Amino acid sequence: MLIRRFLPILLWLGLPLISAYDRIPANDTAPCPDPSDIVYSPFAPWFAFYSGGPRSSFCWKAAICTLEPADEARKQQFGATALVMGLLPLTLRDLAWPERRLVLVSAPLPHAAAVIVRALGLEPMVKGELTTWGEEDVQRWMTWVRGSWVAGLGLRSKSAMRILLATSFAMVVVTYGALALVELYSKGSALGCTYPIFALTWCIVGVLPATVHTVFEGWRRRKDIKGQIQTGRPSAVQGVDEAWPVQLSWAIFYIAGTLVYTSIMAVTVVELFVWVVIQLSVTAASKLLALYVCLSLRDPTANDAIFDPSAVPENGSPLKAVK
């Protein structure tokens, strides 16, 4: 009786194994392309050498045919490029942007917006809650926001801000598409050659640690009865002053990113250069979108004035505030 009940389930679970068994001979017996054509072949994926057939078979076959006949010098190059690839998510997303990762806001962002901003790589900080930022540091940041073409243009009018939001969102979509495309035309990931967009998935999965971060920050604010929350020092590490689950979630996220980028197989120097350019573009577009989201929802300059010393009259009357 038990066998009859579980037989359909066992057959359903066994279908992928049966299909994989049928593909093994094709995978083992398919001839490799000429080594001079495949060992050094930038942006030449498996379907450039094999027509038809399942990706699960020929993707691994192309990777094996690339690595197996490679000489020692080429293998050293592949190892060096893999090491640099592993540094991309750390250096280009956060560690290379220690202070510019922080963006001041006039009040805490809505939860959904805070999750999006953190997932895109910025950390919203309420003006006045940074313990290590004095008034001079805050004013320097505010001056940069007003005077820079990146942010100052959006503060002039709501229409300009909407245009910048739409443009930066389009840039994020385009750069994400380029990231997926460059991985699709690589030799695949050693984590699973059948899945072609590990890097893009890692970027999107950033909403998970960002959600954990936002939830714990909300709990911390609700416990603060006196309204004396201070968010600590500016740091390149997200969640450094938060509870340990926040720090753990971000640590797992960055470890996974290092693993994903290192696992891309047989990356040539030309491909590495393209990966770096695209990752820089993804980072820039993401941070611009996050910045505009913060400024559009919680503009820190809305009720702030800059005092112009040249506006002091001779009779010593109070300074004039210049918006």
Side-chain angles (χ1 to χ4, degrees), residues 144-145 147-154 164 288 291-292 295:
W144 172 80
V145 169
S148 67
W149 64 269
V150 175
L153 183 62
L164 291 175
L288 282 177
L291 176 64
Y292 294 143
L295 295 181

Side-chain angles (χ1 to χ4, degrees), residues 271-295:
E271 289 174 317
L272 177 63
F273 175 77
V274 175
W275 273 95
V276 171
V277 171
I278 290 178
Q279 189 61 45
L280 278 172
S281 303
V282 169
T283 301
S286 300
K287 290 183 183 295
L288 282 177
L289 178 58
L291 176 64
Y292 294 143
V293 169
C294 291
L295 295 181

